[in-house]
Amino acid sequence: MSSANNWKHRIYVLNRVMSKKFYRFFGNRNMRWQPHSFYSIKPGYHHAISAEATINKDELQHSVYELALTRATGMNNPSILDIGCGSAYKLVHMFSQYKIAGVEVEPAFSWLKQQYPQHVWTLFDEAVPTALKGDLVICSNVVEHLANPDDLMEFLEDIPFQYLVISTPERDLVAGEKDFGPPANTAHFREWNGAEFRNYLRRWFKVEEHHILQNKCVTQVAICSKRS
């Protein structure tokens, strides 16, 4: 990271920390300023208006993929589709016995095609969800990075899958029940607690399981199927 970018990041972090402390201090008064619920998150929660680009870490969300692998072993040789697969390290190395594919944005997309040409990679901007192949779809810690997560939910809903494994941080366990945002992580627009995330997902899917993984990031994972 260049010196200029490093200082820009520090200012970004400082602004987030100050905003977070400010809104936490005023507590329930936040609901007077922002009385509506957005994306099923409680009234008074302050969503970030911008977020920094994130860098994928191969060691993160390993337990999410372990849970997805457990589900896959109970299926009949499923195809695996990873939405927002990043470097695809976990997908390639943990699901090597299955037919795998991933969807990503640039520059990760071009890197994936060069690094793993034997697998199928799709550029998100060109992806047609109804044409994607995945009996088991994984979407690990992507939704919190999007300005409008409804777009992702509608995209996932149109994919012909049997199961969807989707994860995001659990806000209350990370920041406390009195947190009113914005997230301390400058790459996140917002974060949900467990009840909020289940309610949000139920607008599009049937939530069959919901797990809290006490990993480094305190992650919540939902296993969903299509609504009848």
Side-chain angles (χ1 to χ4, degrees):
M1 181 181 293
S2 68
S3 178
N5 287 337
N6 191 38
W7 276 107
K8 183 178 179 180
H9 172 70
R10 289 180 181 180
I11 293 172
Y12 220 112
V13 171
L14 180 61
N15 286 337
R16 281 288 183 97
V17 170
M18 292 177 65
S19 297
K20 197 173 189 69
K21 288 183 177 180
F22 177 81
Y23 293 127
R24 189 179 185 90
F25 175 79
F26 282 97
N28 290 332
R29 294 183 185 180
N30 289 290
M31 288 184 282
R32 297 179 183 176
W33 302 333
Q34 195 272 87
H36 302 292
S37 173
F38 294 100
Y39 308 115
S40 300
I41 295 176
K42 66 182 179 181
Y45 182 84
H46 294 267
H47 306 242
I49 59 175
S50 62
E52 293 184 297
T54 184
I55 299 174
N56 179 266
K57 301 292 186 180
D58 290 334
E59 68 271 16
L60 296 181
Q61 288 86 52
H62 189 273
S63 53
V64 175
Y65 284 78
E66 288 181 333
L67 185 62
L69 183 59
T70 299
R71 172 63 59 155
T73 57
M75 301 170 67
N76 183 19
N77 193 31
S79 55
I80 313 296
L81 175 65
D82 194 342
I83 306 297
C85 57
S87 70
Y89 180 86
K90 296 179 290 294
L91 176 67
V92 170
H93 290 83
M94 296 177 66
F95 293 84
S96 58
Q97 68 272 43
Y98 301 108
K99 182 179 180 180
I100 62 175
V103 177
E104 254 300 348
V105 298
E106 291 288 13
F109 168 70
S110 294
W111 182 89
L112 288 166
K113 290 188 68 176
Q114 182 177 6
Q115 186 73 12
Y116 304 112
Q118 70 274 31
H119 300 301
V120 177
W121 311 109
T122 302
L123 183 64
F124 180 79
D125 294 339
E126 299 177 356
V128 178
T130 53
L132 295 173
K133 304 296 183 182
D135 299 315
L136 177 67
V137 173
I138 302 170
C139 188
S140 177
N141 288 47
V142 174
V143 65
E144 65 272 13
H145 296 279
L146 303 179
N148 184 356
D150 286 356
D151 291 341
L152 175 64
M153 294 298 110
E154 292 170 359
F155 182 91
L156 294 171
E157 183 183 35
D158 287 341
I159 300 173
F161 64 79
Q162 290 182 333
Y163 294 105
L164 165 68
V165 177
I166 183 169
S167 67
T168 194
E170 211 291 349
R171 188 189 69 242
D172 286 358
L173 294 178
V174 172
E177 295 181 4
K178 295 182 180 180
D179 178 69
F180 285 92
N185 189 324
T186 58
H188 296 179
F189 279 92
R190 63 193 57 81
E191 293 171 353
W192 291 258
N193 68 20
E196 292 167 349
F197 195 53
R198 289 193 299 273
N199 288 336
Y200 182 61
L201 291 173
R202 284 170 180 153
R203 292 168 54 187
W204 289 274
F205 313 108
K206 178 181 178 182
V207 179
E208 298 201 353
E209 298 179 19
H210 182 262
H211 303 269
I212 303 296
L213 305 179
Q214 296 289 344
N215 53 15
K216 183 178 180 181
C217 300
V218 191
T219 304
Q220 56 177 314
V221 188
I223 299 178
C224 305
S225 59
K226 297 285 188 178
R227 292 194 304 187
S228 56

